[in-house]
Amino acid sequence: MNQPSRPTPSSPCIRVCILDESTGLCEGCGRTRDEIARWGSLSEAERRAIMAGLEARLRDAYLKPAEVRASP
């Protein structure tokens, strides 16, 4: 008997799993170690809320001081 398929949980993972020692962020997706560990137990709404801020989080974490000064 076929069981209905469950939707796959949203994930920002791009399989570049390297945790940066200075920022604590995954260089591939921008999540913290704690977020990665809890990902499967988070609700879809919680996952989407975290994912909404990952691009800015990565950008801010890896912005060099000279780039910050040059920003308008």
Side-chain angles (χ1 to χ4, degrees):
M1 189 160 162
N2 289 341
Q3 293 182 344
S5 62
R6 293 186 202 178
T8 304
S10 298
S11 175
C13 183
I14 60 169
R15 300 190 196 312
V16 177
C17 305
I18 301 169
L19 291 173
D20 182 275
E21 288 184 34
S22 63
T23 66
L25 300 177
C26 172
E27 293 181 14
C29 68
R31 293 179 291 171
T32 64
R33 180 185 307 269
D34 182 56
E35 289 168 340
I36 293 167
R38 295 181 308 118
W39 201 254
S41 64
L42 297 174
S43 70
E44 182 65 15
E46 291 169 316
R47 288 191 290 267
R48 289 190 181 277
I50 291 169
M51 289 190 314
L54 293 178
E55 184 177 332
R57 181 190 290 181
L58 279 172
R59 185 179 56 243
D60 293 345
Y62 296 105
L63 207 54
K64 294 182 177 91
E67 292 170 315
V68 172
R69 287 192 302 271
S71 296

